[in-house]
Amino acid sequence: DEKYASNTVTAVSAANGLDSKKMAQLMQKDHHIILSGGQQTLSGKIFRIGHLGWVNEKDIQDILSALKVVLPQAGFRSS
């Protein structure tokens, strides 16, 4: 629902076999990028990318590049 949308965080569905907790661990350990998981009923179902404050295009590109490497390592299967 659009009324819950935030312009400071992007929530991404953890689907297609993705272990979002493993993905977050790999992102932090291997790429020094911290992503958050879902809370309560969304735990393990989503991950969140924060973009509050001083974030530029390069920061977002770095996250996307790291995700391309880490997603398959964390079980994601493209459909």
Side-chain angles (χ1 to χ4, degrees):
D1 189 325
E2 193 63 32
K3 70 183 176 186
Y4 298 110
S6 169
N7 62 359
T8 61
V9 67
T10 297
V12 182
S13 175
N16 295 13
L18 178 62
D19 179 338
S20 61
K21 291 178 183 179
K22 180 177 180 178
M23 182 216 50
Q25 290 170 345
L26 291 169
M27 289 290 284
Q28 185 171 2
K29 181 175 129 292
D30 298 343
H31 301 277
H32 310 288
I33 295 171
I34 298 173
L35 300 178
S36 297
Q39 299 173 331
Q40 297 178 4
T41 60
L42 293 177
S43 180
K45 296 179 182 176
I46 67 167
F47 64 92
R48 296 175 292 148
I49 302 170
H51 37 81
L52 174 68
W54 191 258
V55 178
N56 60 41
E57 248 181 82
K58 183 186 177 316
D59 296 328
I60 299 300
Q61 187 57 50
D62 289 346
I63 292 169
L64 295 175
S65 295
L67 281 170
K68 286 180 185 179
V69 173
V70 170
L71 285 172
Q73 295 173 345
F76 180 78
R77 302 174 312 276
S78 59
S79 45

